[in-house]
Amino acid sequence: MTEEARQPILIVGLGNPGKSYEKTRHNIGFLVGRTLAKSLGIPFENKKEFSGEFAQGEVNGKKVMILLPMTYMNLSGQALRRCLDFFKIETKHVLVVCDDVAIPFGKLRIKEKGSSGGHNGLKSVESHLGTQDYSRLRVGIGREENLDLAEFVLGQFNTQEMEYLPGVLLEASEVALIW
């Protein structure tokens, strides 16, 4: 196995900690991370050194790590940076999972690099990585034009979204693994 193949991958789900944010649209990164960990049978541990919840396991001989920063969305990059430094992981082995209001609910978009698109979690990641060159999986949450953006993303999924959410989370976690 080459040195490159031995490099672990880190999947980072963005969200906000706390019960009041659990099932909000802005926490879809957390939900995808938890779905992936559950499907792999790996538990999360609270890792103070990373300021987050952390899980690790193996998939086809490849080490897979999942980080859910508990720093709140706007400071997500701090936890990611700590984890990268601790494990000496290069940014090319990182996939950040987040919500996106510009994509219809349930649609996925994966990119190797790009701008934050105004997403505060991605702005923090870019700031702490010092680059826009990292992979991201954007999970569409759509947008209701008549609602304030913050109110919408911090709002609970509606009944129709809740019906489709398990399938969206499963598909996004599978895409993360394929990546």
Side-chain angles (χ1 to χ4, degrees):
M1 185 181 279
T2 67
E3 182 62 33
E4 182 69 21
R6 280 193 288 272
Q7 289 292 313
I9 62 165
L10 177 62
I11 298 168
V12 183
L14 300 187
N16 286 309
K19 276 272 191 224
S20 62
Y21 295 107
E22 263 182 15
K23 292 190 178 170
T24 63
R25 294 176 183 94
H26 216 26
N27 269 32
I28 205 155
F30 276 14
L31 297 172
V32 170
R34 292 189 195 291
T35 301
L36 178 56
K38 185 176 180 182
S39 74
L40 297 175
I42 54 176
F44 278 98
E45 301 174 49
N46 185 12
K47 289 287 194 180
K48 289 184 180 173
E49 60 266 42
F50 306 148
S51 300
E53 291 184 17
F54 181 77
Q56 62 181 329
E58 264 191 38
V59 177
N60 300 325
K62 183 86 167 167
K63 189 173 193 174
V64 175
M65 299 182 286
I66 305 166
L67 175 67
L68 306 179
M70 293 292 135
T71 54
Y72 288 95
M73 184 69 76
N74 297 358
L75 302 173
S76 298
Q78 291 176 355
L80 171 54
R81 179 82 265 164
R82 289 179 187 150
C83 192
L84 289 179
D85 291 347
F86 183 85
F87 289 107
K88 299 187 179 13
I89 299 171
E90 298 175 44
T91 56
K92 66 182 176 181
H93 298 288
V94 173
L95 176 68
V96 176
V97 183
C98 66
D99 61 295
D100 193 314
V101 296
I103 302 172
F105 177 82
K107 300 292 183 191
L108 307 175
R109 182 179 300 149
I110 193 164
K111 287 183 155 189
E112 286 184 31
K113 58 185 173 181
S115 76
S116 67
H119 191 287
N120 289 330
L122 293 181
K123 285 179 186 177
S124 176
V125 167
E126 288 173 14
S127 171
H128 285 84
L129 295 182
T131 185
Q132 294 180 340
D133 294 347
Y134 62 91
S135 296
R136 74 267 340 255
L137 172 60
R138 294 176 178 258
V139 182
I141 60 170
R143 173 130 190 237
E144 289 182 30
E145 294 300 324
N146 58 337
L147 285 180
D148 172 72
L149 180 61
E151 185 181 334
F152 178 75
V153 299
L154 295 174
Q156 302 281 318
F157 292 100
N158 66 36
T159 305
Q160 185 178 13
E161 291 167 338
M162 284 300 291
E163 182 181 331
Y164 292 103
L165 188 60
V168 171
L169 297 175
L170 186 60
E171 183 180 5
S173 67
E174 289 171 353
V175 167
L177 270 185
I178 291 168
W179 169 86

